[in-house]
Structures are given as C-alpha cells and as structure tokens.
Amino acid sequence: HPPPVATDKEEQKRLLKNRPDQPQNPKVLRIAIIGAPNAGKSTLSNQLLGRKVFPVSKKVHTTRCKARGVITHQDTQLIILDTPGLTNPLKAKRHNLDEAMLTDPWDSMKHADLVLVLVDVSDHWTRNSLSKEVLKCLSQFPHIPSVLVLNKVDILKKKFLLLEIATDLTEGIVNGKKLKVKSALKQDSSSSAKSPLHITQASPLESKVPGSPFGQENNQAQEGSDLDKGSDVGGAGTGEAQGPKHHGPEDRKDAKGWPHFQEIFMLAALHGEEVDTLKRYLLMQAKPGPWEFHSDVLTNQSPQEICDNIIREKILEYLPLEVPYGVTQVTEIWEEGECGELLIVQSLLVPRESHKRMLIGRGGKVISRIAREAGQDLMNAFLCDVHLKLKVEVK
C-alpha cells in the first residue's frame, strides 16, 4: 500500500530531508509524462502512485506546478515528474498562466531517464498527430528513450482506429522496426476490443494470436492485425534499428508523429485499466542508482499544496468558463483535532458578486459539494478524517 502524505508541514519537510533508506542494490527511474493539456497526465500519475496527490479536472491547465510523485517497490524507486500540459505563450496568456508553465515541462525533460508521451485517443481532432509542443520537446531530447501511451481507449467505440492512430503517431516505426498494418478491419467497423492493448514492434502480423480481441471478428482478413494485452504487433519489416538522430526543429516541421518510440501502451487511466502493465514495464526499465527519497515519501508537495490543488480542481470542475481562474485561496485554519482529525478552513476570494453567487450555488449546493468531494480526496491522500470548511468572499 502506498504511504499516506503527512498532514503536518514540518513532518513532510522532515520526511523529504530524511536520508533515503537505500536497499542493497537500489534502482531508480525518473519519468517525465508529457502531452497536450487534458490528455490525462495527472490521472495516470495518481493511478501509478495508488493515491490521489495530483489535481485532475476536465478543464485545461489544472496542473500548474511541477510536482513529483514517488513509487517505491522493493529495491526500485520510480520518480514521476508530473508536468503541466505543454502549451504556448499565447494560450498561457489567455489562461493567466505564469512563466513557469512554459518552462517547467522542458525542465522535467532534463532530469528524465524515460519520457511517456500521453495522447487522448477519444479526441478525434487531435489524436492522429502529436502536438507541435510535444514534437518540439522530443526533438530537443532525442537521446531520452520515449514510450507512446494511448489513453482513454475505453471511450473509443471503433477499436480498429487504434491501429491507424498508432501508425500515424509513430510514423509506422516502433523501436527501429517498421509497423506493417494493412487495413484489414473494414468489414466490422464496430468491432470493439474487450481489453485495452499493448503494442510492441516485432512479430509478423500474419501470426494469429489466440483469444485476441481482433482475431475473433476478423478471421476473413487476409493479414489480421491481431492484438491483445500481451501480443506484439509489428512488421516483418526489414528496417534496421537506428538510434534517433538529433532532429532540428526544421527537419520535423511538417511531422505528425515520432519514429523513435520504444513501445506503445494502450490504457484507460481513469479506470486503472492496464495501468499495472505499464507500471511493471517502468519497474523493469529502472537502472542501478541511489534512491532520491525515503520510502515513506509519496510526493514532494507540502500538505497545503495538495489541499489547495484538490479544492481548486473542484472549483474548476463546477464553475463555468474562465470564472475558476479568478479565485484566490487563503487557508485560515489548519490544525489537528482531539481525535487526530484534520480541521481545515479556507476562504475563497472572488473578484465579483456574481462569481460569489455562482460559487455558492442555489441553497449553497455548489460550495457544499466542493467541500464534500475535496474532503473525500484529502482523506484518501492523508489517510485520516478531514473536516473541511469553505467560505466565499468578494475580494
């Protein structure tokens, strides 16, 4: 079970300063998770950690700081660098984001041993090409091994599209070998795979995989693109494996995909589907090296930061349009009650009376829902009872 986050600021500081309890042969892997805003990076990070410490919301730019999550499993430590969604100066200005939002993702890449590129396959506008910011990031750090993670596959009705998306995003090459994917799935466009998929590169597509979600429905296909959880997809391609060359931004100006991914994983982070498969893979990629954190550390955030972020997540969730971005949070009380419960009182300051009315809601419904749901999440993070009171004032 993952450790809880300390509720006391000083205790958390002490934990972070604690010398790591190094095992005999420690291994470590630093993972940067990058992707367009709202691809599900924080959801995936929380699932990998086993506790909710990163805020999640349907609105973009819920994650505003560069936080770290720590997974300690036996002799291995995975350090997740949860980065803000890659954005550009124009969008940053529109959402009132600070400078750090533009530099932080790049900063994380400098410290990473592996990069996970997360793509939301349920978004039909963006799923067939990597964003310019993501491609720029990969081009600048071509020496860092990268893995493609297709997220939200449970929402995709037509599972055969996954092959098309995978081919577009990898330019048909995974781990230096060609993906040969014929459009063999036309006759049953509604075919739905029962489980998310994990593609790796090198096995001829002709070989049928028993029990494969695609196999049953497409027996007539001349060259079945059969995938299941453990199956490999790839081509009998003769392409030699080549290390990624350093691409200048010019070389990749019209590129849509990245031909240097080592693996492709397909999962549904929200429901935890196939997250364990990815986690096992990450643990296997760890290299000998000293741990950075004590095994009792789950995140480097302070308890107050976690609290602020989780309340903010709910405000983003339940307030329309740009309204949430103008709310200022001030913690007035943070103390431990007689029975070990945590008492938190926070004021939410808004610029207008109309925003105050929206945030309180008819009969106080909105604000009480925010307090209830945020309280539940905080209990999960701190593993203790939490009494959260929220007040709304016009600043």
Side-chain angles (χ1 to χ4, degrees):
H1 289 289
V5 180
T7 56
D8 180 65
K9 198 175 176 176
E10 295 310 312
E11 191 186 333
Q12 175 72 343
K13 266 189 195 161
R14 200 178 65 246
L15 260 180
L16 290 168
K17 280 185 183 154
N18 252 2
R19 287 178 64 169
D21 44 343
Q22 305 285 357
Q24 257 191 323
N25 302 302
K27 287 187 283 190
V28 71
L29 186 74
R30 291 169 199 81
I31 305 148
I33 303 181
I34 67 169
N38 222 4
K41 296 179 293 298
S42 297
T43 304
L44 179 59
S45 299
N46 288 333
Q47 288 285 5
L48 287 167
L49 287 167
R51 246 180 237 305
K52 181 170 178 177
V53 296
F54 295 121
V56 176
S57 140
K58 291 187 187 78
K59 284 212 175 69
V60 296
H61 306 308
T62 311
T63 301
R64 294 192 163 214
C65 61
K66 185 182 52 184
R68 296 190 169 196
V70 184
I71 298 161
T72 305
H73 180 77
Q74 294 169 0
D75 60 357
T76 304
Q77 197 161 77
L78 304 178
I79 297 160
I80 296 174
L81 315 166
D82 186 57
T83 54
L86 291 179
T87 189
N88 59 42
L90 195 72
K91 289 180 192 159
K93 202 170 173 190
R94 187 178 0 155
H95 284 106
N96 196 10
L97 307 175
D98 59 26
E99 198 59 32
M101 290 287 288
L102 294 167
T103 55
D104 274 357
W106 306 95
D107 218 38
S108 293
M109 288 292 282
K110 287 177 200 151
H111 306 290
D113 306 311
L114 180 80
V115 58
L116 296 183
V117 177
L118 204 60
V119 174
D120 171 3
V121 296
S122 70
D123 185 340
H124 66 277
W125 297 107
T126 59
R127 65 187 175 205
N128 287 85
S129 60
L130 296 173
S131 76
K132 278 195 167 46
E133 286 85 18
V134 167
L135 281 168
K136 189 175 164 194
C137 208
L138 291 168
S139 302
Q140 289 219 348
F141 301 93
H143 55 284
I144 301 175
S146 55
V147 168
L148 177 63
V149 180
L150 302 183
N151 188 24
K152 310 188 190 180
V153 297
D154 53 323
I155 302 174
L156 200 63
K157 297 264 192 300
K158 298 172 177 174
K159 294 293 187 263
F160 70 90
L161 288 172
L162 287 169
L163 295 172
E164 189 186 295
I165 294 165
T167 310
D168 286 347
L169 298 179
T170 59
E171 294 189 353
I173 296 170
V174 177
N175 204 7
K177 297 200 175 69
K178 241 180 165 45
L179 281 174
K180 279 191 181 168
V181 180
K182 298 248 172 116
S183 54
L185 296 154
K186 284 180 186 146
Q187 75 273 23
D188 182 8
S189 59
S190 65
S191 87
S192 66
K194 290 179 183 61
S195 66
L197 318 161
H198 160 210
I199 305 181
T200 67
Q201 80 296 340
S203 78
L205 282 171
E206 289 85 359
S207 60
K208 289 271 183 275
V209 182
S212 138
F214 285 106
Q216 293 132 15
E217 289 142 328
N218 301 295
N219 283 337
Q220 307 92 327
Q222 290 157 346
E223 249 182 288
S225 306
D226 293 327
L227 307 173
D228 76 351
K229 274 186 277 192
S231 74
D232 291 339
V233 76
T238 52
E240 295 289 308
Q242 292 165 345
K245 300 180 194 67
H246 191 92
H247 293 287
E250 284 310 302
D251 306 342
R252 314 253 341 132
K253 207 163 50 182
D254 303 318
K256 285 184 164 186
W258 179 247
H260 305 299
F261 288 117
Q262 294 198 338
E263 293 271 1
I264 306 176
F265 287 85
M266 304 193 178
L267 46 79
L270 188 62
H271 308 297
E273 285 175 31
E274 291 301 295
V275 172
D276 270 352
T277 311
L278 176 61
K279 191 170 176 175
R280 281 196 300 273
Y281 171 81
L282 295 172
L283 290 165
M284 279 161 55
Q285 299 307 304
K287 301 278 184 285
W291 285 3
E292 273 184 48
F293 296 96
H294 191 278
S295 58
D296 285 342
V297 172
L298 189 70
T299 177
N300 66 341
Q301 299 171 90
S302 73
Q304 278 86 347
E305 279 176 315
I306 291 174
C307 175
D308 284 355
N309 282 335
I310 281 176
I311 293 169
R312 206 174 139 271
E313 165 201 305
K314 307 301 175 194
I315 296 169
L316 281 164
E317 205 58 41
Y318 296 123
L319 288 192
L321 303 167
E322 305 295 313
V323 176
Y325 300 101
V327 178
T328 306
Q329 294 163 260
V330 179
T331 301
E332 293 178 3
I333 295 173
W334 183 289
E335 60 189 35
E336 199 175 306
E338 287 169 24
C339 309
E341 74 276 26
L342 182 61
L343 307 170
I344 303 168
V345 176
Q346 192 169 93
S347 284
L348 305 175
L349 310 177
V350 293
R352 296 192 185 94
E353 193 63 44
S354 58
H355 290 188
K356 179 181 174 179
R357 283 198 299 274
M358 275 185 219
L359 187 47
I360 292 171
R362 187 174 291 171
K365 266 193 182 143
V366 175
I367 196 70
S368 54
R369 183 175 184 178
I370 289 170
R372 187 175 66 247
E373 290 184 10
Q376 284 295 130
D377 283 351
L378 292 171
M379 278 191 225
N380 175 292
F382 300 134
L383 276 196
C384 71
D385 281 338
V386 175
H387 298 303
L388 173 65
K389 188 179 175 196
L390 298 175
K391 302 191 290 191
V392 187
E393 295 163 21
V394 177
K395 57 186 166 194

